[in-house]
Amino acid sequence: VGCDRSKNLVDICGEKHFQAFVCDALSVPIRSGSCDACISIAVIHHFSTAERRLATVRELARLLRPGGMALIYVWAMEQEYKNQKSKYLKEKNGSKNKEKEMNTGTARRPLSDQRPDNSSQDSAWSDQLLNDLKDENYGAKPVADFRLPVHTNRTSFHSQDLLVPWHLKGGTKKKEESVDTMLVPCGSKESKELSPVFHRYYHVFCEGELESVCRSLDCVRVQKSYYDQGNWCVILEKL
């Protein structure tokens, strides 16, 4: 049985005759202790606080029967590990010059500059908020820049909390397909012809962070922790 926050993705599962329903990872409407195994792939890194990330792991544990197992994957801060680049960094490197730029050029750029050219107007709202706060005379101290950095696709991460640009895919889809399910990462061939740009929040995990979150729960035991193609992964057992 599958579940997802997106109704459109769940509808696709239904069309393929899979069992799936819409729910929130913080509150899954399944009886406690009723699952032999749970899989959480690329979910927990979208929660913006440590408390919510822990609560999501606790909810996974609640679903498991004693002896049940859970597999968790989250995006890793370390996209180059043991001198090997992840598939994410390797993909769509059109030339050696581009690869050189990824390895050297982006590291020297300030975070505020690490965003696709076509996404600058999409962050205009945060610029306006910043200006509004400055105009309100909130004391003598300057207002801090609270904006999250916008990630440049296919490059290493320079912040754990960031926004990843996604383009809404349109024009090439069939009429019966739902528009808001068709998302492609910024920088892909399709993205050059598509708009608008959406910024999706990610918290990328440092080495040992996911394992530490899991070990803080008394009801589970970490069976295995490993790195897999730009992801940190943990296998849990319910006690």
Side-chain angles (χ1 to χ4, degrees), residues 33-182:
S34 61
C35 298
D36 294 317
C38 294
I39 299 175
S40 174
I41 306 294
V43 173
I44 296 176
H45 58 215
H46 289 301
F47 287 94
S48 61
T49 67
E51 291 78 12
R52 288 181 177 180
R53 294 189 285 271
L54 174 60
T56 310
V57 178
R58 184 183 291 114
E59 182 70 352
L60 274 178
R62 180 189 68 80
L63 301 175
L64 292 170
R65 63 165 175 78
M69 309 290 284
L71 172 65
I72 302 173
Y73 265 60
V74 295
W75 214 352
M77 178 81 171
E78 301 85 355
Q79 289 297 307
E80 187 167 343
Y81 187 67
K82 293 183 178 179
N83 297 321
Q84 293 290 325
K85 290 180 181 176
S86 68
K87 185 178 179 182
Y88 173 73
L89 290 185
K90 289 179 179 178
E91 280 184 355
K92 300 184 181 179
N93 285 347
S95 65
K96 292 183 179 179
N97 290 335
K98 185 174 181 180
E99 183 174 351
K100 182 178 179 182
E101 179 185 346
M102 283 174 50
N103 291 338
T104 60
T106 56
R108 291 192 294 268
R109 294 165 59 196
L111 290 176
S112 59
D113 292 337
Q114 291 178 23
R115 59 184 56 166
D117 292 338
N118 59 355
S119 71
S120 57
Q121 63 183 16
D122 297 278
S123 60
W125 63 271
S126 58
D127 293 331
Q128 184 60 50
L129 279 175
L130 202 60
N131 291 332
D132 290 344
L133 286 173
K134 290 176 180 177
D135 292 340
E136 291 292 337
N137 297 321
Y138 284 93
K141 294 183 179 180
V143 177
D145 190 344
F146 53 81
R147 293 170 295 181
L148 288 172
V150 178
H151 178 60
T152 300
N153 224 16
R154 308 297 170 188
T155 66
S156 298
F157 296 117
H158 301 287
S159 173
Q160 278 193 269
D161 297 282
L162 44 83
L163 301 175
V164 176
W166 289 72
H167 282 270
L168 183 67
K169 186 174 181 179
T172 58
K173 65 183 182 305
K174 296 178 182 178
K175 289 184 179 180
E176 63 270 21
E177 289 180 341
S178 179
V179 173
D180 52 359
T181 65
M182 308 299 288

Side-chain angles (χ1 to χ4, degrees), residues 172-227:
T172 58
K173 65 183 182 305
K174 296 178 182 178
K175 289 184 179 180
E176 63 270 21
E177 289 180 341
S178 179
V179 173
D180 52 359
T181 65
M182 308 299 288
L183 293 175
V184 295
C186 181
S188 62
K189 292 180 181 178
E190 295 90 347
S191 72
K192 295 177 182 178
E193 305 172 358
L194 305 175
S195 61
V197 178
F198 292 91
H199 292 151
R200 193 175 190 187
Y201 171 84
Y202 284 78
H203 171 85
V204 290
F205 281 66
C206 290
E207 182 173 6
E209 183 179 354
L210 177 61
E211 187 175 349
S212 177
V213 171
C214 296
R215 291 190 187 281
S216 68
L217 297 178
D218 295 333
C219 58
V220 298
R221 175 170 53 223
V222 175
Q223 291 281 35
K224 187 178 181 181
S225 178
Y226 60 98
Y227 180 88

